Amino acid sequence: RKEVEQDPGPFNVPEGATVAFNCTYSNSASQSFFWYRQDCRKEPKLLMSVYSSGNEDGRFTAQLNRASQYISLLIRDSKLSDSATYLCVVNMDNAGNMLTFGGGTRLMVKP
Amino acid sequence: DTEVTQTPKHLVMGMTNKKSLKCEQHMGHRAMYWYKQKAKKPPELMFVYSYEKLSINESVPSRFSPECPNSSLLNLHLHALQPEDSALYLCASSQESRGDYEQYFGPGTRLTVT
């Protein structure tokens, strides 16, 4: 079993749609969680950290479910510019300094 | 608008060449990282520097040699690479090396080994 798993997609959605991605992680002791977006042939860019209480940044909402060991990312009112690969990233142990990346979920927003 | 810069953006080198990748961050971060990313795969960690000391080497072959001259600079020296080493090499930095700190990536160096 992979340590951090994501549905690779692609998710093809029309502009204005709401889309949600889930990511599961294997280590119940994991403490820190992040979503990054990566455009084709570019570097990953931090989208948001994921907090236990959930957090929202504009059209983006992240949730953490520790009991089921998954995090989610909800994108409302999708824009063409949201097309990218979304990487779920987990720190398995706060005492360490290694992040574990999921394989990424590809989103394509169509006009 | 990234505050982590990397040079060069592209590099083509032969298997007998010696070259260096450079990374600089201007955020006062004390941890810096090298990652390797192949097409359609997530980044793979290579090295971690914390307070200018190498703290993690993820069993990277010795043909890759990292160097941290000061807290703002990180180099990756390349020698006798193989074609399978062709990839995007990403530098990142974070405030501290603990995993709860967010990492910020540079734009990467796209390396082709011929």
Side-chain angles (χ1 to χ4, degrees):
Chain A
R1 181 186 173 189
K2 292 181 184 174
E3 291 182 295
V4 179
E5 283 205 72
Q6 297 182 249
D7 181 342
F11 285 58
N12 293 296
V13 303
E15 268 187 294
T18 295
V19 62
F21 311 135
N22 280 347
C23 162
T24 58
Y25 58 95
S26 61
N27 187 344
S28 59
S30 299
Q31 295 292 326
S32 304
F33 310 89
F34 309 93
W35 283 104
Y36 282 76
R37 72 168 276 167
Q38 187 169 25
D39 294 282
C40 188
R41 300 180 70 81
K42 299 283 191 181
E43 76 274 23
K45 292 194 174 178
L46 180 68
L47 185 63
M48 56 202 313
S49 302
V50 187
Y51 304 120
S52 295
S53 54
N55 46 308
E56 185 174 316
D57 182 3
R59 298 181 292 108
F60 299 85
T61 300
Q63 296 281 351
L64 168 63
N65 185 319
R66 287 192 184 274
S68 300
Q69 293 179 215
Y70 77 83
I71 64 174
S72 63
L73 178 68
L74 181 77
I75 305 176
R76 289 181 298 277
D77 189 22
S78 301
K79 311 290 185 193
L80 295 176
S81 57
D82 293 334
S83 299
T85 295
Y86 289 83
L87 296 164
C88 171
V89 184
V90 178
N91 172 239
M92 296 294 188
D93 177 357
N94 258 12
N97 50 18
M98 289 176 56
L99 299 182
T100 302
F101 286 75
T105 296
R106 188 157 175 229
L107 172 65
M108 308 269 293
V109 182
K110 309 280 188 176
Chain B
D1 55 348
T2 182
E3 293 188 70
V4 180
T5 58
Q6 289 186 243
T7 56
K9 289 187 178 177
H10 301 275
L11 178 62
V12 179
M13 60 185 290
M15 289 189 283
T16 58
N17 292 157
K18 284 185 182 181
K19 296 285 184 185
S20 296
L21 309 185
K22 297 186 182 301
C23 173
E24 188 168 8
Q25 56 92 7
H26 307 282
M27 294 179 281
H29 288 172
R30 304 316 300 261
M32 296 184 77
Y33 310 79
W34 280 115
Y35 287 86
K36 172 183 176 180
Q37 187 175 25
K38 302 282 271 184
K40 299 189 189 301
K41 298 287 187 184
E44 297 173 23
L45 183 66
M46 300 174 73
F47 303 103
V48 180
Y49 273 83
S50 178
Y51 288 85
E52 301 164 46
K53 293 193 187 316
L54 182 65
S55 61
I56 290 182
N57 175 340
E58 283 290 283
S59 303
V60 179
S62 60
R63 57 186 184 268
F64 295 92
S65 174
E67 179 197 17
C68 189
N70 61 54
S71 60
S72 300
L73 293 173
L74 187 65
N75 298 324
L76 186 62
H77 303 297
L78 315 172
H79 174 53
L81 295 194
Q82 304 297 310
E84 59 264 29
D85 295 321
S86 298
L88 179 67
Y89 287 84
L90 293 160
C91 173
S93 70
S94 62
Q95 189 174 340
E96 298 277 348
S97 63
R98 275 184 21 220
D100 53 345
Y101 286 98
E102 298 149 344
Q103 291 185 20
Y104 296 88
F105 286 83
T109 293
R110 192 160 297 279
L111 174 68
T112 302
V113 181
T114 60

